[in-house]
Amino acid sequence: MEILLKKDVANLGYAGEIVKVKAGYGMNYLIPQGFAVSATESVKKQHAETLRQRAHKEAKLVADAEALAATVSAQVLEVKVKVSESGKLYGSVTTMDLAGEVKEVGEYEAAVKIYKAIKASFKFNVVAE
């Protein structure tokens, strides 16, 4: 019997997959527990359409993320901060993102996660006010 998994099932498959199981396991456990539905022809067609739409949306998201990554990578930011006479910062540029690396005036590079595996890096300059 073929079923469409609605939830991840250990040692069987992930949500959204069509898998073959013994009829008793499917009818007596998976379907009543809400883990799966019977994979009829109409369910298979609907699943295929859902996958096609999901792939189309994913491709658009990836394209948009890559375009944003290219834009971010082309940027060079300039951050003005108060510094001592020796060039050391009195504070930090930001508390979480840059402070670990930035301790004095100069040019730095930071990485940003845009979407899933798409990352971009950009340069920024820390200059005295």
Side-chain angles (χ1 to χ4, degrees):
M1 140 176 239
E2 284 188 323
I3 58 169
L4 171 64
L5 294 175
K6 293 168 63 176
K7 298 179 182 176
D8 294 349
V9 179
N11 300 323
L12 185 59
Y14 298 102
E17 289 183 340
I18 295 178
V19 295
K20 287 188 179 185
V21 295
K22 291 187 178 182
Y25 183 49
M27 297 299 290
N28 296 327
Y29 178 70
L30 294 174
I31 293 173
Q33 293 293 323
F35 290 121
V37 293
S38 182
T40 62
E41 287 302 315
S42 63
V43 169
K44 287 180 184 179
K45 286 180 184 178
Q46 184 179 8
H47 178 63
E49 179 64 21
T50 302
L51 289 178
R52 187 185 66 76
Q53 290 176 359
R54 190 178 301 156
H56 179 64
K57 288 178 184 177
E58 182 73 15
K60 183 173 180 350
L61 285 172
V62 168
D64 291 347
E66 288 174 345
L68 180 60
T71 302
V72 168
S73 295
Q75 299 294 318
V76 176
L77 303 176
E78 186 170 285
V79 181
K80 292 184 179 182
V81 294
K82 293 184 178 182
V83 296
S84 67
E85 291 179 11
S86 63
K88 300 281 185 185
L89 299 182
Y90 282 123
S92 59
V93 175
T94 65
T95 57
M96 297 299 289
D97 299 329
L98 306 174
E101 295 294 321
V102 178
K103 297 295 182 188
E104 53 190 56
V105 174
E107 183 176 309
Y108 298 91
E109 189 168 323
V112 178
K113 181 178 178 184
I114 304 289
Y115 179 74
K116 292 186 178 178
I118 300 173
K119 296 179 182 174
S121 61
F122 63 94
K123 293 182 179 178
F124 62 96
N125 297 320
V126 177
V127 297
E129 273 188 340

